[in-house]
């Protein structure tokens, strides 16, 4: 094939151990960024995550995020994103403490996440 990144992507896409729920979870920017955050920190509170993601998402729009932006993202995390990440087995979540924890991920999922992170920013 072409370059190393394309070869790695081809290998990842042929990996049958990755199910559709993983790809669905990764189709959303807030969910990908949540997983990238958990690659860095093994656990994070929902409030801290909302702070991190709000800054990260709105920095790409070259504008300051507002309190309303953060609250909207926090509501979306609670309503849909955390549910999808849990369903796909990519996060553990304690709703009483509002704490997200990175579970033990398969080598295939870990490889896919690192590939996605690297290629999201062209590092």
């Amino acid at each position: 094939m072409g370059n190393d990144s394309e070869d790695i992507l081809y290998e990842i896409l042929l990996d049958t151990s990755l199910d559709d729920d993983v790809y669905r979870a990764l189709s959303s920017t807030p969910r990908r960024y949540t997983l990238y955050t958990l690659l860095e920190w093994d656990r994070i509170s929902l409030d801290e995550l909302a702070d991190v993601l709000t800054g990260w998402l709105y920095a790409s729009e070259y504008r300051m995020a507002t309190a309303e932006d953060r609250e909207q993202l926090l509501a979306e995390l609670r309503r849909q994103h955390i549910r999808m990440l849990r369903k796909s087995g990519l996060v553990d979540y304690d709703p009483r403490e509002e704490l997200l924890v990175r579970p033990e991920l398969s080598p295939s999922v870990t490889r896919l996440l690192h590939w996605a992170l690297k290629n999201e920013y062209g590092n």
Side-chain angles (χ1 to χ4, degrees):
M1 257 179 103
N3 65 38
D4 288 342
S5 182
E6 289 175 353
D7 291 343
I8 292 169
L9 175 60
Y10 186 70
E11 290 173 19
I12 290 169
L13 293 175
L14 289 177
D15 187 337
T16 58
S17 69
L18 295 168
D19 66 20
D20 290 344
D21 285 341
V22 171
Y23 290 111
R24 278 189 208 97
L26 293 174
S27 70
S28 161
T29 301
R31 290 192 294 264
R32 280 195 315 278
Y33 285 15
T34 295
L35 295 171
Y36 300 158
T37 301
L38 286 171
L39 285 174
E40 184 72 26
W41 302 305
D42 291 338
R43 58 185 58 235
I44 191 167
S45 73
L46 194 55
D47 273 342
E48 291 171 321
L49 179 64
D51 290 342
V52 169
L53 294 186
T54 300
W56 206 349
L57 292 167
Y58 287 95
S60 66
E61 294 181 11
Y62 301 103
R63 72 174 182 89
M64 293 294 294
T66 65
E68 292 79 23
D69 294 329
R70 184 195 178 280
E71 290 306 311
Q72 179 179 345
L73 178 59
L74 183 58
E76 291 171 3
L77 286 167
R78 284 186 176 121
R79 188 174 56 248
Q80 68 191 64
H81 297 307
I82 301 305
R83 183 178 310 134
M84 173 74 81
L85 290 168
R86 287 178 73 190
K87 178 182 178 197
S88 63
L90 297 172
V91 301
D92 290 332
Y93 179 66
D94 179 345
R96 285 173 286 138
E97 302 221 7
E98 292 198 322
L99 183 69
L100 286 92
V101 178
R102 179 173 42 104
E104 186 69 32
L105 299 172
S106 73
S108 296
V109 169
T110 301
R111 185 176 186 200
L112 175 59
L113 288 175
H114 283 285
W115 182 90
L117 175 60
K118 177 182 177 189
N119 287 280
E120 184 120 26
Y121 294 102
N123 294 332

